[in-house]
Amino acid sequence: MSDIAAERSAQNRAAYLVLGAASFCHLLNDMLQSLFIAAYPMFKDNFDLNYAQIGLLTLVYNVTASLLQPVVGLYTDYRPQPYSLPFGMSMSLLGLLVLAFAGSFSVLLVGAVLLGIGSSIFHPESSRIARLASGGAHGLAQSTFQVGGNVGSALGPLLLVMFILPHGQASLAWFALAALGGIILLAGLGYWYKSNGHARRGTAPAVATARLGRGKVLGALAILICLLVSKWFYLASFTSFYVFYLMQHFGTSEEQAQLYLFVFLAAVAAGTLIGGPLGDRIGRKAIIWGSIFGVLPFSLVLPYVGLVATLVLSVAIGLILASAFSAIVVYAQDLMPGRVGMVSGLFFGLAFGLGGIGAAVLGVLADRTSISFVFEACAYLPAIGILAAFLPNLGRNERSSARAR
């Protein structure tokens, strides 16, 4: 018995290391993406861009990622590709170098496309690895994996202030070293994935929809997509335009505004970490409902308060709103077992695509009205969260399924 216990303990330690490595690689991947977004004010000054062009940069990057992610996920459900992860990070490395030495807006768009391709390959497969290493605690594993990405996103503005702004656009190239480290780690994860028998080719398991019925499953997916529209359009107002809002509305410097964006993104990371394990305990529907609709009182007040209150409200918004995504992804995976790659790719892809479309639409709106009006209009988006009330209540089955698997 002691030998069996020791073997299980070793397997658990290995799984924790794999999950930690996947989360750290997510940090590196999303840090590179966040550097790109945080550099928007610098690109705006260097290339004399308007807000519509800023939105187009986000749209090109996000739509590239969103269109490819479900395709990559569906393909790897049938034909696992354990070493696709380092290849994806290599594409992100190349995109970062293109951005560092871009001399025109069109070249910036090429860099955005390369970053989008890298992200589209990274997210479905790394999310699958996180689930495989979860030991059944799927919400906790998804949150641990996702919080790595959120921390990476939060680091972008901070690193921009510390390293990029003092030295200029070309200094983005130094962060290619971080991507190189990620390539090495991801090659190791690919080896674990293959050596543990998870990379066997074959037919993916059939989608188990009998418990709810196909109609209810499709209806639930439609509701989840509507909730993602609300969440990511609203987040796009922060990730793409919060710095500009603070600079124009309150007269802050760019360095101050980037630091305030870092605080917001850090709150998003904390909310992500809380949402997954809490969903394992109380059910994911409750988390989805509370995290999106629960933001509404804060979002409605934010455009009409002073700087300090804006910072406090933005932290509350980031903390509450971010707790939904891990719960949404795992809820969808529970609805469609056997399609982990496709579901992960679809929802990560939707996150990118909706964020990009939101940034493009809001950029045009900002050019025609003002940045302040964008935040006033977006304040009503969390009201869409009321649709969560119509999600099937998986209840006890939802939590017991995590333990069973």
Side-chain angles (χ1 to χ4, degrees), residues 62 225-243 245 261 264-265 268 291-305 309-322 350-351 353-362 371-385:
N62 286 23
I225 290 170
C226 290
L227 297 176
L228 287 181
V229 170
S230 167
K231 171 184 167 63
W232 289 103
F233 266 59
Y234 189 51
L235 276 179
S237 68
F238 278 87
T239 55
S240 292
F241 301 108
Y242 189 48
V243 169
Y245 175 75
L261 177 60
F264 169 75
L265 294 174
V268 169
S291 66
I292 297 180
F293 191 67
V295 166
L296 187 61
F298 303 100
S299 65
L300 290 174
V301 173
L302 183 138
Y304 306 103
V305 297
T310 296
L311 299 177
V312 172
L313 288 171
S314 68
V315 168
I317 288 169
L319 191 67
I320 298 170
L321 190 61
L350 281 170
L354 292 171
I357 293 170
V361 170
L362 297 178
I371 289 289
S372 295
F373 180 79
V374 165
F375 279 82
E376 292 169 10
C378 288
Y380 296 92
L381 287 172
I384 297 174

Side-chain angles (χ1 to χ4, degrees), residues 89 111 180 355 397:
M89 186 66 79
L180 183 61
N397 289 332

Side-chain angles (χ1 to χ4, degrees), residues 92-169:
S92 294
L93 185 155
L94 182 59
L96 190 69
L97 292 176
V98 169
L99 292 171
F101 300 108
S104 66
F105 177 66
S106 59
V107 179
L108 289 179
L109 291 174
V110 173
V113 168
L114 290 170
L115 281 178
I117 293 173
S119 181
S120 71
I121 297 171
F122 175 83
H123 283 103
E125 281 299 88
S126 55
S127 181
R128 186 200 306 276
I129 286 177
R131 188 175 178 93
L132 290 171
S134 68
H138 297 150
L140 175 61
Q142 189 61 227
S143 276
T144 302
F145 168 72
Q146 187 63 26
V147 80
N150 290 142
V151 171
S153 296
L155 287 175
L158 191 62
L159 293 172
L160 187 86
V161 171
M162 295 173 63
F163 299 107
I164 307 301
L165 290 181
H167 302 291
Q169 180 180 332

